[in-house]
Amino acid sequence: MNTEQILFACLQEHCYFKLSGELRYTNATGMDDLIEQLFEQEQPACAQVVVDLNDVTFIDSTHIGLLASLARHCQQHQLPKPILFSTNTEVNQLLKGLCLETVFDFAEHPTNQAIDLTPVQVEQHSDDHKGKMILRAHEALLDLSDKNRQEFKPVVELLRKQLS
């Protein structure tokens, strides 16, 4: 059983994401849609972004790419680095291994915020739309480091070929 859940709240220009469970590409469109929606305006709804991964049990490269994309949007809008909370050693090793510590401020402790978060609604998308989302997420990973570029370039090239 997949207990993946994405919760969100925006309070006083602080955007809070709480992700939990197994985060796989098959359930990434809700997160992607939310990120695009938040940053499509010239003046984004967020002045500060906080991501809580404390309840994540598994995260795949697509979701990591979405996190990289979120951080890139923050950079493009001259916002502070997003803060990422995670106490899961394996998740932290994976995120740092893919250079997310260069675009996030890591806080390796629990959050104690009592914020009323709302589940993110997942829209049904075509396979083509999902494929483009997976491609964008992996392209965001390429931009983080030369190591990522070497590791994910074949994946990105294959996705591009399949989508053309």
Side-chain angles (χ1 to χ4, degrees), residues 29-54:
T29 56
M31 180 77 172
D32 181 57
D33 290 345
L34 180 58
I35 292 168
E36 294 303 315
Q37 183 184 347
L38 288 171
F39 290 97
E40 67 188 357
Q41 309 93 318
E42 198 163 312
Q43 188 63 39
C46 308
Q48 174 70 61
V49 173
V50 176
V51 179
D52 181 348
L53 300 180
N54 282 317

Side-chain angles (χ1 to χ4, degrees), residues 8-155:
F8 177 77
C10 189
L11 303 167
Q12 299 167 344
E13 296 185 344
H14 283 67
C15 292
Y16 298 92
F17 293 83
K18 179 161 182 62
L19 287 68
S20 60
E22 294 185 6
L23 302 175
R24 299 181 186 277
Y25 74 94
T26 52
N27 53 35
T29 56
M31 180 77 172
D32 181 57
D33 290 345
L34 180 58
I35 292 168
E36 294 303 315
Q37 183 184 347
L38 288 171
F39 290 97
E40 67 188 357
Q41 309 93 318
E42 198 163 312
Q43 188 63 39
C46 308
Q48 174 70 61
V49 173
V50 176
V51 179
D52 181 348
L53 300 180
N54 282 317
D55 295 332
V56 168
T57 56
F58 174 86
I59 186 167
D60 72 2
S61 58
T62 298
H63 271 87
I64 296 170
L66 291 175
L67 292 173
S69 175
L70 177 62
R72 183 173 41 191
H73 280 296
C74 290
Q75 287 175 332
Q76 289 169 344
H77 287 90
Q78 284 85 45
L79 300 178
K81 271 187 184 181
I83 301 166
L84 191 143
F85 287 88
S86 176
T87 54
N88 184 321
T89 306
E90 289 176 19
V91 168
N92 292 345
Q93 287 174 337
L94 181 60
L95 296 175
K96 289 176 181 179
L98 293 173
C99 301
L100 263 75
E101 81 282 0
T102 63
V103 292
F104 278 89
D105 283 332
F106 271 72
E108 295 183 38
H109 54 82
T111 54
N112 54 6
Q113 301 262 333
I115 299 168
D116 191 19
L117 299 158
T118 305
V120 172
Q121 297 304 312
V122 179
E123 302 293 322
Q124 292 301 317
H125 290 292
S126 68
D127 288 344
D128 188 58
H129 181 93
K130 290 176 191 173
K132 289 176 181 170
M133 179 263 311
I134 293 168
L135 174 61
R136 282 193 317 273
H138 285 82
E139 286 172 336
L141 284 175
L142 289 182
D143 294 341
L144 292 180
S145 73
D146 287 337
K147 180 180 151 285
N148 285 5
R149 208 171 340 282
Q150 290 173 347
E151 192 169 330
F152 291 104
K153 188 176 182 199
V155 175

